[in-house]
Amino acid sequence: MSSAKVTWKNEQSPVKDPAIVAFQRSSEGSSAKVGALGNASANNNTKLSSVLRELGVVEKLLPTYGFLQCANRQGRLFFHFSEVATDADSLRVGDLVEFQQSADRRTGKPVAVSIVRIPNGNLVTYEIMSEKTVMGTVLAEAKASKNQGSEGEAPGLLDGMGRVTYEQSGETFFLPFALEDIDGGQKITAGDTVEFYISTDERNGNIRARQVRKVRPIVADLFQGVVCSLKENYGFIERSDVVKEIFFHFSEFQGDIEMLNLGDDVEFNIQFRNNKEVAVNIQQLPEGTVVFEDVATERKRGKILKTLKSVHGRMQSDPLAGRIVYETLKGSIEIPYGDRDQLGDYTLQAGDIVEFYIATDRRDKLQRATNICLIDVTFTISGETREKGFVTTLKDAFGFIRCLDRDTRMFFHFSELLNQDEPQLQDEVEFTVIQDPTNPSRLIAIRIKVLPHGTISVEQCLPEKYVGTIEKEVQSPKTATGKTGVSDIGIIMYDISGTKQTIPYSAKALVECCSPKNGDQVEFQICESRKNNTKTAANVRITSVKTASKSQNKEQGSAVVVKESAAKESTVKEQVTKEKGFVAVLKENCGFIEMADHEKEVFFQFCNFDGNASELELGDEVEFILSHKTAKVSAESIRKLPRGTVAPEEVIPGVLEGKVVRMMRIVNPDQVEYSGLIQLVEKEAEGGGNGTEACYPYGITSLVDKRDVPQKGELVRFKAAVVKSSGKQRAARVVPLRLVMRGKVDSLKGQMGAVICEGEEGRKVSFHVSEVQDGVDLQLGDEVDFLIVRKQATGKCVALNVRRTSERQRPERLMSRLKSATDDAGPRIVTLRQPRGPDGTNGFKLQRSASRQI
C-alpha cells in the first residue's frame, strides 16, 4: 500500500497491548497529514479556497449516491453524484476527495457537497504499523471472501479471515488476517509458526496482522521431570536436571489432562512468562523413564541420631531433618533422611537401630538414607519396656488394644504397625506405651508388632485352692471324643465368704481319669483367661464321693432348701444347654446368631468365640450356650460347626420368582416377625383365571450373597426347600433381580466412596469398600458395574457388588524427591484472574496435536 502513513513510535513499554496503543492517536501526525493534503487541494482548486474544505475517503458507492468517511474527525456523510465536480463514474471506493459540509434542505441532516477528487489516484490509510515483527501461531487459516458486497463495496472485516495467536508479557492475544496479508503467496495452515506486523486502525482501534510469513520452527531444549503437585487447573513438576520445581498450566499438557497423575514422568520445554520459568508442550513418558537418584545395593546399619519431629511433636521445616550415624572404616558418618525415606509411618526414636540404603541424587550428588526400617534388636539393646495384648476393636485407620498387664484399653493407629498393613481382631501384639503428644492425659500404643498366634499365654492359674460340689458332671474325654470330638462343660458350685458361686470346667481340667459325679466334693484352682476375662476351674481333684446317706439327709431337709437347690440346678442346666444356629450379623466386635428354628436371634461378642473371630462369615453354622448374666440373653462358648450340621434342608428342583413382602428383622428392627417373607408370583394358567399365590419365609441362610439383602417390594428368584427336621418349606438360594448399573468412581475417603451413575448426570451413589468385588483397590476415574439398593432405615440409595470393568493406569509410587531448594527469592505464581479467549470463554481450548517438530 503506497499511501501516506503515520509512523508508529518506538514501543515505550513491552507491557502495553497494541490495541491500547491504537487509541493513543498522534494529533501531530493527523495535523501534518491534513495540512499536506489541504495544500494539494488548494493548488488544484483555487476557486474554493475561500470556504471551509475537508478531506475524506469514499467508503461506499451506490447507483446515484454514496458515503464519505471524514479524514480529520469521526463522521460519515451522504453525498449525491450531482455534487461531484468530475465524472462520478470515475470514483472508486478508497479514493481521497475534498468536500464541503452542508445541510440537506428537506431533512436538515449534514451532507457532503462540492466534491473534488484528489488527482494522481492517491489513497489514504489510517493504519499504524508496528516497527518490529511478532512471532505467533496460526489457529485458523485465511480463506477467500465469500461475500464480495455490492458493487463498489468492500467485504466484511471477518469474512474469510484467518486467526493468529501470540504472547506478550505473559498474556495471550488473538489477531485476524486475510489472504492479502500473507507475504509472497505462501501456503499458511493451522499450527504454523509465523511472524508478522501488527496494524492498528486509527478510526476504530481495530487491530490485525499484516505481512504474515512462515518461519522455521525453533529447536527447543527438552527437559524431563515428575509431576509432584496437581491443583485445580495447574501444577508443578520436579525437574530432573536441577533441584527445583517448575510451574505448568493444564492447557500445556498434550493429551487428556484427566490421565495425568501424581508421580507421572513427563517431558517438556521451558518458556519465560512474567520473568518466571514455566513448562510448556508437556508430554507423558513411560513409567520409570525419569530417575532422580542412584540407590546403592549394600544395606547399611546405623543408629537414629535425630528424628524428623521436634521436641513438641511437630514436623521440622527442613525436608531432610532426620539424621542417622553409621560406622565405616574411616570412622563415623552422619547422613540425613526425609519423611519419605522410611518404610512405614511408625514412630522412630533417637537411639533406634535401623537398616537402610544410601541414595545419591544425580543432580547435586547429595547423599541420604532411604528405605529405612526398624530392626528387632533395637528393643533388646535399648531395654525399651514392651507390653502385650489383644486387638479388640478396629475402626477406620485406628483401633484399641486390651492390655494384659493393665486394666484398660490402649488406643493405636494403623500407621504404628511394624510388620503388616492392617491388623485383625484378636491379633496378639507387642507394643510400647507413650504419652499422647496431642493429649497429655492419654496413653497410646506405638511401634506395634503382630505376634504369631499362641505366643501370648492367656491363661493363668491362681495358687489358691478351693473346695466345691459338682452341680453338673462332665463326660470323660473318651466318651466326649466319641460323640463330638470335644468334651462337654461341667459346673462346680463353691462358697466364697458366704456367697455361692459357680464356675465351669472341662474334661481337660480333670487330674484323675475318673470323672466326678453330681454331688461329689472336689478341690480345684481358678484359671483366669486374660484374652476374654473369663474364669474356669483347673486341676480338678475328687476329695469326697457322694453317698446314699448324704442323699437321704439332703432329701429330709426343709422344702425351701429343696426348692432352692432345684431352682439352682435348673438354672445351671439351662446355662449349659447347647444351642445351634447361623451367624446372621457381624459388626465391629459383636454380632447376632439366628437360631436353628429361624424364629429369633441372639446377641454375642467376639471374645466369646472359640477361635479367631475375624474368620467368621455370614451364614456360618455354630454351636453355643445361652447365658442369662444380664437382662438380655447372649451367646457364649461359641464354636464353629461343619456346614450342613444345623437344620439341613432339601432343595426342591425348579426356579421360582417372587416379590419380597416382608424383610428380615435384621434389616428392619421395628418389625415383630424375625424371618422375611417372599410371595410367589405365578403366571395365569393357560385356561384363564387368576394365578395362585403362596408365601415362603427366608432368613440369612437363604441368601446366595449374604451381604446382598433384598429390600421390600423387590423381585427375587429362588428355590423352595424343605427343612428335614420339621418338614416346613422355606425359600432357598434367593437372588435379587436388579438392573446392573454402570458408572465411574468419583471420590474415595476412608472406608467409603462414591460413583457417578452413567446416563444420569449429577447422580452420585455411595458405597462401602467391603462391597468392592475381587479385592481390588479402586482409584478415582475407574469404571465400575454395580447394583443400587435403597436402604430401609435411611431411605438413601447405596451401591452394592461394585466391580471394576476398566482400570486407569496409576503409578504405585511417587518418586522419592527432595523439596525445592531454589535460590529464587520471588514468590510462587498465584492466579489473579483466569484467562479469556476471543469467544468469551476461559480459553485454553487449542487443538494440540500429539506430535510436534523438534
Side-chain angles (χ1 to χ4, degrees):
M1 301 175 68
S2 59
S3 57
K5 294 184 181 179
V6 179
T7 303
W8 193 22
K9 297 182 179 180
N10 292 334
E11 299 179 40
Q12 297 178 359
S13 173
V15 178
K16 291 187 177 181
D17 177 24
I20 300 175
V21 176
F23 287 95
Q24 300 174 347
R25 298 186 178 87
S26 174
S27 57
E28 180 181 356
S30 298
S31 300
K33 181 196 298 183
V34 172
L37 296 175
N39 291 335
S41 176
N43 293 333
N44 294 280
N45 302 281
T46 56
K47 64 177 181 178
L48 299 176
S49 60
S50 59
V51 297
L52 180 61
R53 307 284 291 174
E54 296 185 57
L55 294 177
V57 178
V58 177
E59 182 186 57
K60 189 173 184 179
L61 292 174
L62 293 173
T64 59
Y65 62 91
F67 291 91
L68 300 178
Q69 181 71 42
C70 299
N72 302 327
R73 59 187 175 92
Q74 291 290 336
R76 186 172 183 263
L77 300 178
F78 170 88
F79 73 94
H80 195 273
F81 282 180
S82 60
E83 295 293 336
V84 180
T86 59
D87 184 11
D89 292 337
S90 63
L91 284 179
R92 296 290 181 266
V93 173
D95 283 352
L96 181 65
V97 296
E98 186 184 53
F99 65 93
Q100 178 183 348
Q101 181 174 321
S102 181
D104 191 288
R105 289 176 293 178
R106 294 177 300 172
T107 63
K109 295 182 179 180
V111 295
V113 297
S114 303
I115 301 171
V116 178
R117 181 175 178 272
I118 303 298
N120 301 327
N122 290 335
L123 297 178
V124 68
T125 181
Y126 299 96
E127 289 185 326
I128 302 175
M129 300 289 288
S130 61
E131 291 186 349
K132 298 180 180 179
T133 58
V134 179
M135 298 288 293
T137 303
V138 176
L139 298 183
E141 59 183 283
K143 299 180 181 178
S145 176
K146 296 180 180 179
N147 179 21
Q148 299 300 332
S150 302
E151 183 179 355
E153 183 181 359
L157 177 63
L158 297 179
D159 187 21
M161 287 287 194
R163 193 163 295 274
V164 64
T165 179
Y166 71 99
E167 292 184 4
Q168 182 171 335
S169 302
E171 295 190 61
T172 302
F173 300 94
F174 303 86
L175 296 177
F177 70 96
L179 286 175
E180 58 267 22
D181 296 323
I182 301 176
D183 271 1
Q186 293 180 330
K187 177 63 176 177
I188 294 180
T189 59
D192 288 345
T193 301
V194 294
E195 66 175 359
F196 52 90
Y197 290 93
I198 299 176
S199 169
T200 306
D201 194 317
E202 281 187 311
R203 298 168 296 175
N204 50 30
N206 290 336
I207 58 176
R208 64 188 291 174
R210 293 286 194 185
Q211 302 180 27
V212 183
R213 57 178 176 272
K214 188 189 299 186
V215 297
R216 297 182 61 184
I218 301 175
V219 178
D221 293 332
L222 286 176
F223 300 87
Q224 293 182 345
V226 173
V227 178
C228 61
S229 177
L230 290 175
K231 304 296 184 182
E232 183 178 356
N233 54 10
Y234 66 92
F236 291 90
I237 298 173
E238 177 89 15
R239 292 173 57 174
S240 62
D241 55 328
V242 292
V243 185
K244 189 177 182 180
E245 293 176 2
I246 186 169
F247 168 90
F248 74 95
H249 193 276
F250 283 180
S251 62
E252 295 295 343
F253 181 68
Q254 298 187 358
D256 184 4
I257 193 62
E258 297 295 331
M259 301 303 295
L260 186 65
N261 303 304
L262 289 175
D264 283 359
D265 297 340
V266 292
E267 184 180 62
F268 55 92
N269 301 121
I270 294 179
Q271 289 185 1
F272 279 88
R273 297 176 183 174
N274 289 335
N275 297 323
K276 292 288 184 179
E277 288 183 336
V278 296
V280 297
N281 302 327
I282 303 168
Q283 289 188 343
Q284 198 167 7
L285 297 175
E287 182 179 349
T289 302
V290 181
V291 180
F292 288 103
E293 58 197 12
D294 298 315
V295 181
T297 58
E298 181 184 0
R299 195 158 183 81
K300 302 287 186 179
R301 177 173 292 192
K303 181 188 294 186
I304 298 292
L305 190 62
K306 180 183 177 183
T307 63
L308 295 174
K309 295 183 179 180
S310 63
V311 293
H312 302 290
R314 298 179 180 176
M315 297 296 292
Q316 301 184 36
S317 58
D318 184 2
L320 296 176
R323 294 293 185 272
I324 296 176
V325 61
Y326 66 101
E327 298 294 333
T328 65
L329 297 176
K330 298 181 180 179
S332 299
I333 297 180
E334 187 177 311
I335 189 171
Y337 70 93
D339 58 344
R340 297 182 180 273
D341 295 320
Q342 181 180 336
L343 294 179
D345 296 324
Y346 49 83
T347 302
L348 286 176
Q349 297 178 342
D352 286 346
I353 307 300
V354 294
E355 289 185 346
F356 59 93
Y357 292 103
I358 296 178
T360 304
D361 196 299
R362 292 183 175 182
R363 298 169 291 184
D364 56 4
K365 306 304 179 182
L366 176 67
Q367 288 189 334
R368 61 188 177 86
T370 189
N371 297 336
I372 304 169
C373 67
L374 185 67
I375 57 178
D376 293 339
V377 71
T378 296
F379 307 119
T380 304
I381 296 176
S382 64
E384 182 177 317
T385 302
R386 302 282 285 172
E387 298 189 21
K388 296 180 180 180
F390 296 90
V391 177
T392 57
T393 304
L394 292 176
K395 300 282 188 179
D396 290 340
F398 69 91
F400 291 89
I401 299 172
R402 190 180 70 249
C403 304
L404 291 180
D405 302 326
R406 300 172 186 253
D407 188 17
T408 183
R409 294 196 315 164
M410 197 68 63
F411 171 86
F412 74 97
H413 198 277
F414 288 1
S415 61
E416 291 293 341
L417 291 169
L418 298 178
N419 51 357
Q420 70 181 58
D421 295 332
E422 291 189 9
Q424 303 294 329
L425 288 174
Q426 301 302 321
D427 273 352
E428 301 175 15
V429 293
E430 183 182 63
F431 54 93
T432 302
V433 177
I434 65 168
Q435 190 179 55
D436 189 350
T438 61
N439 186 1
S441 62
R442 185 175 72 165
L443 299 177
I444 60 173
I446 63 171
R447 301 148 72 96
I448 302 167
K449 180 181 179 181
V450 178
L451 303 175
H453 184 67
T455 302
I456 301 178
S457 177
V458 297
E459 294 185 352
Q460 180 181 9
C461 288
L462 302 179
E464 296 83 1
K465 293 185 178 181
Y466 300 86
V467 177
T469 304
I470 300 296
E471 290 291 331
K472 181 182 182 300
E473 63 182 271
V474 68
Q475 294 177 341
S476 65
K478 293 182 179 181
T479 306
T481 304
K483 285 188 174 183
T484 62
V486 179
S487 61
D488 289 342
I489 302 298
I491 300 296
I492 300 174
M493 180 174 289
Y494 64 106
D495 185 293
I496 295 182
S497 301
T499 303
K500 295 290 185 180
Q501 297 188 14
T502 60
I503 188 170
Y505 75 99
S506 64
K508 295 180 180 180
L510 299 177
V511 176
E512 301 171 347
C513 296
C514 181
S515 178
K517 305 297 182 181
N518 290 340
D520 288 351
Q521 190 175 25
V522 294
E523 182 185 69
F524 63 93
Q525 292 176 288
I526 295 178
C527 185
E528 295 181 342
S529 174
R530 294 185 289 181
K531 182 176 182 181
N532 48 23
N533 291 328
T534 59
K535 296 181 180 181
T536 58
N539 301 326
V540 180
R541 185 189 304 273
I542 301 175
T543 59
S544 176
V545 180
K546 175 184 175 182
T547 61
S549 59
K550 289 183 179 181
S551 178
Q552 292 175 358
N553 293 335
K554 198 170 185 179
E555 292 176 358
Q556 293 174 359
S558 63
V560 177
V561 175
V562 172
K563 289 182 179 180
E564 291 178 355
S565 176
K568 290 180 180 179
E569 185 175 356
S570 175
T571 303
V572 171
K573 289 182 178 180
E574 182 181 357
Q575 289 178 348
V576 297
T577 300
K578 292 195 173 182
E579 301 286 350
K580 296 179 180 180
F582 308 90
V583 177
V585 178
L586 290 174
K587 295 188 177 180
E588 200 172 292
N589 52 12
C590 60
F592 287 89
I593 297 174
E594 181 180 310
M595 301 292 285
D597 57 3
H598 306 287
E599 296 297 333
K600 59 182 179 180
E601 78 276 4
V602 61
F603 172 81
F604 77 97
Q605 290 190 348
F606 286 176
C607 61
N608 292 317
F609 176 70
D610 185 12
N612 188 357
S614 62
E615 298 177 357
L616 280 177
E617 297 181 358
L618 294 176
D620 282 350
E621 301 177 15
V622 292
E623 184 182 58
F624 56 93
I625 297 174
L626 293 178
S627 173
H628 301 267
K629 293 181 180 178
T630 61
K632 295 184 178 180
V633 179
S634 61
E636 293 184 352
S637 302
I638 305 165
R639 184 171 61 88
K640 194 172 180 179
L641 298 176
R643 188 174 296 276
T645 304
V646 182
E649 299 174 346
E650 181 179 353
V651 179
I652 300 175
V655 179
L656 305 175
E657 289 189 4
K659 181 173 68 175
V660 177
V661 296
R662 186 180 72 206
M663 296 185 300
M664 296 184 294
R665 191 163 64 195
I666 59 176
V667 181
N668 184 18
D670 297 333
Q671 70 183 31
V672 178
E673 298 84 358
Y674 174 76
S675 61
L677 204 61
I678 298 175
Q679 187 180 61
L680 182 64
V681 179
E682 294 185 357
K683 297 182 179 179
E684 294 184 356
E686 295 180 1
N690 296 329
T692 60
E693 294 182 351
C695 292
Y696 292 84
Y698 73 96
I700 190 67
T701 58
S702 304
L703 305 178
V704 173
D705 186 352
K706 304 299 186 294
R707 297 185 180 276
D708 189 5
V709 181
Q711 305 294 311
K712 186 176 180 180
E714 284 190 333
L715 295 177
V716 295
R717 184 177 289 120
F718 67 98
K719 290 187 176 183
V722 178
V723 182
K724 294 181 180 180
S725 59
S726 62
K728 296 181 179 179
Q729 285 193 351
R730 292 173 49 79
R733 302 180 185 178
V734 179
V735 178
L737 300 178
R738 300 193 183 104
L739 179 64
V740 177
M741 303 289 292
R742 174 163 290 187
K744 185 176 293 186
V745 178
D746 179 66
S747 63
L748 292 169
K749 186 176 181 181
Q751 300 295 311
M752 299 299 296
V755 294
I756 299 179
C757 300
E758 188 178 85
E760 301 181 30
E761 186 175 356
R763 184 185 181 187
K764 295 183 181 180
V765 183
S766 63
F767 66 92
H768 194 271
V769 293
S770 61
E771 295 294 339
V772 180
Q773 304 298 307
D774 304 327
V776 300
D777 292 330
L778 291 180
Q779 302 289 344
L780 295 181
D782 286 349
E783 293 183 359
V784 293
D785 288 341
F786 55 92
L787 304 175
I788 294 183
V789 174
R790 184 178 298 276
K791 285 208 168 186
Q792 187 75 14
T794 61
K796 295 182 179 180
C797 292
V798 296
L800 302 179
N801 297 337
V802 182
R803 188 182 305 276
R804 182 168 62 188
T805 58
S806 67
E807 181 179 1
R808 289 183 55 192
Q809 290 295 329
R810 278 184 177 269
E812 296 181 357
R813 57 90 184 101
L814 177 61
M815 296 290 296
S816 291
R817 57 184 180 82
L818 302 180
K819 298 288 184 180
S820 296
T822 175
D823 296 332
D824 293 346
R828 284 181 177 268
I829 297 175
V830 178
T831 303
L832 298 180
R833 64 178 176 84
Q834 294 295 335
R836 289 191 175 275
D839 55 355
T841 65
N842 286 339
F844 294 110
K845 295 182 178 179
L846 312 184
Q847 296 296 327
R848 299 178 182 270
S849 58
S851 61
R852 66 181 189 275
Q853 293 180 333
I854 302 299

